[in-house]
Amino acid sequence: MAGALPLEKLHRAVIFLGPPGAGKGTQAKELARQYGVPHLSTGDMLREHISQGTPLGAQAKPVMQRGELVPDSIILKMVAHRIECPDCTDGFVFDGFPRTVAQAQFLGELLKQHGYKQPVVVHFAIDPALLMRRITGRRMCKVGGEIYNIYERRTKVEGRCDNDGGELEQRPDDREEIVGPRLAAYAAQTAPLVAYYKRLGRLRVVDASKSVGEVTKQVLEIVRGAK
Ligand code: ADP
Ligand code: AMP
């Protein structure tokens, strides 16, 4: 879905807000690819720590398995460290961060310190009835992390990634019994960020119930037009 003209440099953070399963990761990968900036998913960073067996991963694993949020102190250190990396100079796309008001306040300071433009915050508004199917149907490539869905976005060869042939797996927290606690954590701790960014005049909304292609169009229009 490349635009007709090359995109200007981003020089800012794009923040995707929305419940688990709303399509943030799918759109973040596409936007990051189009702008040539990193896609920063705190969930992916934590899963990487778990698979590497780091002490941080050991702390996060039981929390994630219960569908709760990992403590702010852990997340903030991880993000502050990540955005120091040289690939972040032209901006980045956050997916799954910030998730609490404390994280949002910290990020605001961090972005100011680094001299980025004001962030663009995109709220993925979605019919909650769609979320269970999107979450329990999600499968991820073990190699490149590409996101599929057994109901909505199938691969050409069952169980294999279209990009690299990698094996697909289901995230342990995408099982039906963990979805309730994850949605509850979103409602209690993350949904207040919608009002937070609205007050700051940064909030834009997409209809995330639409097809992947239609949501991409909405996101691109917002990011291209951002002041
Ligand atoms: P999030 O990062 O918000 O948790 P994902 O991007 O991982 O969400 O998407 C959740 C699931 O829904 C995935 O299986 C993905 O393939 C699928 N999906 C994403 N966007 C759409 C869409 N617009 N329509 C249908 N399915 C979608
Ligand atoms: P995600 O991949 O965004 O769905 O996140 C998966 C899980 O990782 C969440 O349910 C949380 O347990 C944890 N997590 C990811 N990002 C954050 C964050 N910004 N703050 C707290 N916990 C997080």
Side-chain angles (χ1 to χ4, degrees):
M1 282 259 306
L5 296 168
L7 296 170
E8 281 179 24
K9 284 203 187 290
L10 197 57
H11 281 314
R12 60 170 25 127
V14 178
I15 295 169
F16 284 168
L17 268 187
K24 303 180 299 297
T26 302
Q27 298 299 333
K29 281 181 193 297
E30 178 60 18
L31 187 70
R33 192 186 63 73
Q34 292 214 21
Y35 275 94
V37 297
H39 161 215
L40 305 186
S41 156
T42 42
D44 285 350
M45 293 178 205
L46 293 167
R47 283 183 285 278
E48 185 63 24
H49 275 281
I50 292 172
S51 71
Q52 303 277 321
T54 70
L56 193 159
Q59 260 184 293
K61 189 175 176 178
V63 183
M64 291 168 77
Q65 279 175 343
R66 292 195 299 271
E68 295 167 8
L69 294 190
V70 171
D72 287 339
S73 55
I74 294 181
I75 300 290
L76 296 178
K77 219 183 289 167
M78 204 173 68
V79 170
H81 185 252
R82 179 65 184 88
I83 74 165
E84 296 286 342
C85 296
D87 63 336
C88 287
T89 26
D90 286 338
F92 31 85
V93 183
F94 278 123
D95 144 30
F97 176 85
R99 254 177 159 104
T100 63
V101 172
Q103 291 180 15
Q105 287 168 338
F106 177 90
L107 177 65
E109 287 306 313
L110 205 60
L111 295 176
K112 246 188 252 165
Q113 276 168 24
H114 283 78
Y116 290 108
K117 289 194 269 186
Q118 289 275 318
V120 181
V121 184
V122 182
H123 175 213
F124 281 55
I126 185 161
D127 176 355
L130 297 174
L131 295 177
M132 185 58 89
R133 191 178 156 92
R134 287 202 186 176
I135 295 171
T136 58
R138 172 164 47 198
R139 298 291 183 272
M140 287 178 80
C141 172
K142 281 184 176 181
V143 179
E146 192 60 35
I147 306 167
Y148 297 95
N149 191 290
I150 55 170
Y151 309 116
E152 309 275 354
R153 301 194 84 203
R154 300 175 70 90
T155 48
K156 293 190 187 96
V157 177
E158 201 183 319
R160 292 281 163 189
C161 177
D162 290 347
N163 293 348
D164 54 27
E167 195 186 333
L168 302 189
E169 63 181 352
Q170 184 178 33
R171 281 169 42 178
D173 59 344
D174 277 349
R175 282 175 292 119
E176 198 169 339
E177 59 273 27
I178 320 290
V179 173
R182 288 171 67 198
L183 293 177
Y186 177 78
Q189 291 165 277
T190 310
L193 293 184
V194 173
Y196 176 89
Y197 282 117
K198 200 170 184 180
R199 269 198 307 277
L200 294 181
R202 302 310 305 168
L203 193 79
R204 302 297 307 272
V205 184
V206 294
D207 179 356
S209 306
K210 296 268 168 45
S211 71
V212 170
E214 283 176 55
V215 179
T216 303
K217 265 193 222 154
Q218 296 177 58
V219 169
L220 272 176
E221 207 174 297
I222 289 171
V223 175
R224 280 182 177 146
K227 299 280 177 291

